[in-house]
Amino acid sequence: MQVTESIILFIYLVIMTLMGIYFYRRARSSENDYFTAGQSINTFVGAFAIFAAVASSSSLMGAVGSGVAMGVPYFFTYAFGVIAILPFSMFLVSGQIRRSGVKTLPEFFNQRFGKPVQIVSAAIVVIGMTFYMVPQLTASGLIGQHVLGIDYTTAVIILGLGFTLYAALGGMWAITYTDLIQGAIMLIGIVILALFIMVDHNGVVSLINDAMAVDPAFGDITQPWMSYFGLFIAFLWFGIISPSVVMRNFASRDAKTARRSAMWACLLYLTLFIAGFFVTAAGTSMGIVDTLDNTDMIFVSVIEQYLPAILGGVMLAGLMAAIMSSADAMLLAISAGIAHDIYKEHINPKASERFVTGLGLVVMIAASIVGIMIAIDPPGLIAIMVGWVGGFLLSSFGFPIVLGIWWKRANMLGALTGMLGGALVFLILIIGGWLPTNAEPIIGAPVSLILMIVVSLMTEPPSKETQAMVDHYHTHLE
C-alpha cells in the first residue's frame, strides 16, 4: 500500500461524495434538475463538464498504454479523433439539439421521429453506456490494486460503488460541478507531469531520441489502415452519438452557451493530448511495458518514475477524476434512458417527478453493479473497449441524429431501419471478428446511412409540423 497516494485518493473520493450529498435535495426536486441541472449551466462550467465527460480513462491510461504498445501513430490517431469531437459536434449538432428543449437523446428521437424510435434508442443507450462503464471500472480497479494494495476485484467493487454514490445522489447538478473540479485536476496534473518529464529528459528532441533508442518501432505504423481509420471516425463522432456527452448540451443555458462550451472544451482537450504525447514517449523510454501484466498501467509507472509522492498522489487523483467524470455521465444517461424515456414516457406517464428521479437513482446503482460484474474480467485494452462503444453508437445513432437535424425528409421508418440495421451489422462484425480491431464502424455506419436514406425516400414524408420543427432547430432566436 502506498500511504501518501492512498490518503490523497481517499480525501478526493470523500470530497466528491460530499458534493453529491450537497446537491441531493436540489437534484431530486424535479426531473429537469436531476437530468439537466435545470438547463442553467454557463460556458465556463459547461466547458469543463464536456471536457471531463469526454476525457475518460481511455484518454489518459488507454491512449498512453496503446501508444506505447502499438506505436505513437496509434496514439495520434486516437488524439486527433478525440480533439476533433468537439468542433465537429459544435457545428453539426450542439446548438441545434439544445434548441429542441429535450432532456435526453431518446427524447429528441421521440420529438423528431416518434415513440418507436425513442424506445429503440433508449435500449441502445442502456446497452452502450453500460458497456462503456467497463473500461472506466477496469481502470479504477487497476489503480486501486496498485495504490491501495488490495486485489483487483475488490478495488473494482469499492471504487465503482464509490463514484456511483455521488452521481446517483446529486444527478446532473453533482455531476456537472464535480466534473469542474475533476477536469481541472486531470488537466493540471498531466501538464505538471509533462513538465517534469521534459526537465528530466532535457527537452522534446532528447525525449523522442530516448524513446526511439529503447523502441526503434516507436514511430512505426503497426496496425492495418482500417484499425486507424475506424478508431478515428468512432471518436470523431463521439460528441454526437454518446448520450453522456450530448446531455451536456441539454444542461446549457441556451444554444449559444452549448456551442461556446464545446469550443473551450476542445482547447482543454488539445492541451491534454499534447501533454499526453510526452507521457507516451516517457513510458516507451522506460522500456518496461513488456514486464507489465496490463499495458494500460504504463501511465501509473510513469507517474511513479517522474513525480514525488505527493504530486504522484494528485496525478493518481487526476486519473480517478478521468474515470469518475466519464462514468458518472454514463450512469446518468442509463438512468435517464430507463427512468425517463421508458418508464415515464411509455409505462406510467402519470408518475411523479420525485418517483422518476428516485427510480433513476436505483437504475444507476443497478447499472454500476452490472458494469462491475463485466469489469472483473475485462475483454480487452481500455482504448480498444472504448473504440467498440464508439463504433456501436456511431453505427446506431450517428446518421439518425444528424439527418434528423438537417434533413426534413428523414422519417420514423427511415430512422428506425437505419438505427437497427447499423447496430446489427456492427454486432455481427464484432462477433465474426473478420475485420481488424476497431474497423467495424467503417461498414456499420454507411449501412445505417444508406438504409435511412433509402427507406425515408420510399415511405411517406414526415408531417408539416415535424418539418417545421427542423426549421426551429436552426433558428438563432433563443
Side-chain angles (χ1 to χ4, degrees), residues 2-244:
Q2 301 177 28
V3 178
T4 303
E5 291 87 342
S6 298
I7 291 173
I8 293 173
L9 276 178
F10 176 75
I11 293 172
Y12 169 74
L13 290 170
V14 168
I15 292 172
M16 295 300 103
T17 304
L18 290 175
M19 291 184 70
I21 295 171
Y22 173 78
F23 284 110
Y24 174 75
R25 182 173 296 178
R26 181 187 294 185
R28 291 292 306 281
S29 63
S30 72
E31 288 184 62
N32 195 38
D33 280 291
Y34 195 78
F35 294 123
T36 66
Q39 297 183 322
S40 62
I41 302 302
N42 61 34
T43 300
F44 177 77
V45 177
F48 273 96
I50 293 174
F51 163 68
V54 179
S56 65
S57 61
S58 64
S59 301
L60 298 178
M61 293 180 70
V64 171
S66 59
V68 173
M70 294 184 279
V72 76
Y74 199 87
F75 172 85
F76 280 128
T77 301
Y78 191 109
F80 292 151
V82 175
I83 291 169
I85 285 174
L86 297 168
F88 191 60
S89 63
M90 179 175 69
F91 289 109
L92 212 53
V93 302
S94 292
Q96 294 87 347
I97 205 166
R98 174 61 184 83
R99 292 187 189 100
S100 68
V102 300
K103 300 181 185 70
T104 67
L105 190 54
E107 188 178 354
F108 167 77
F109 283 123
N110 181 29
Q111 181 189 88
R112 178 62 177 85
F113 298 115
K115 288 186 177 181
V117 183
Q118 181 184 27
I119 295 172
V120 171
S121 63
I124 292 174
V125 166
V126 172
I127 294 169
M129 291 295 97
T130 300
F131 188 80
Y132 195 12
M133 287 283 295
V134 175
Q136 316 311 318
L137 291 163
T138 300
S140 67
L142 292 172
I143 294 172
Q145 179 185 33
H146 185 79
V147 176
L148 304 177
I150 58 180
D151 68 272
Y152 171 80
T153 300
T154 304
V156 169
I157 294 171
I158 292 174
L159 294 175
L161 293 178
F163 64 64
T164 301
L165 180 62
Y166 79 84
L169 289 174
M172 183 61 91
W173 279 111
I175 288 170
T176 298
Y177 281 93
T178 53
D179 280 358
L180 172 63
I181 296 173
Q182 291 165 341
I185 290 174
M186 75 174 84
L187 189 66
I188 294 170
I190 196 169
V191 168
I192 291 174
L193 176 59
L195 290 174
F196 269 81
I197 290 170
M198 292 286 289
V199 170
D200 193 80
H201 286 269
N202 298 314
V204 180
V205 175
S206 178
L207 172 63
I208 295 174
N209 287 336
D210 291 343
M212 295 288 287
V214 172
D215 181 10
F218 176 61
D220 292 351
I221 294 175
T222 60
Q223 306 298 309
W225 72 269
M226 292 182 73
S227 290
Y228 295 102
F229 186 62
L231 188 71
F232 176 79
I233 63 170
F235 283 111
L236 174 65
W237 282 77
F238 211 74
I240 295 174
I241 47 85
S242 174
S244 61

Side-chain angles (χ1 to χ4, degrees), residues 299-319:
F299 197 111
V300 176
S301 299
V302 172
I303 292 172
E304 294 178 339
Q305 175 72 20
Y306 291 92
L307 293 181
I310 294 179
L311 288 179
V314 173
M315 189 62 244
L316 288 171
L319 282 175

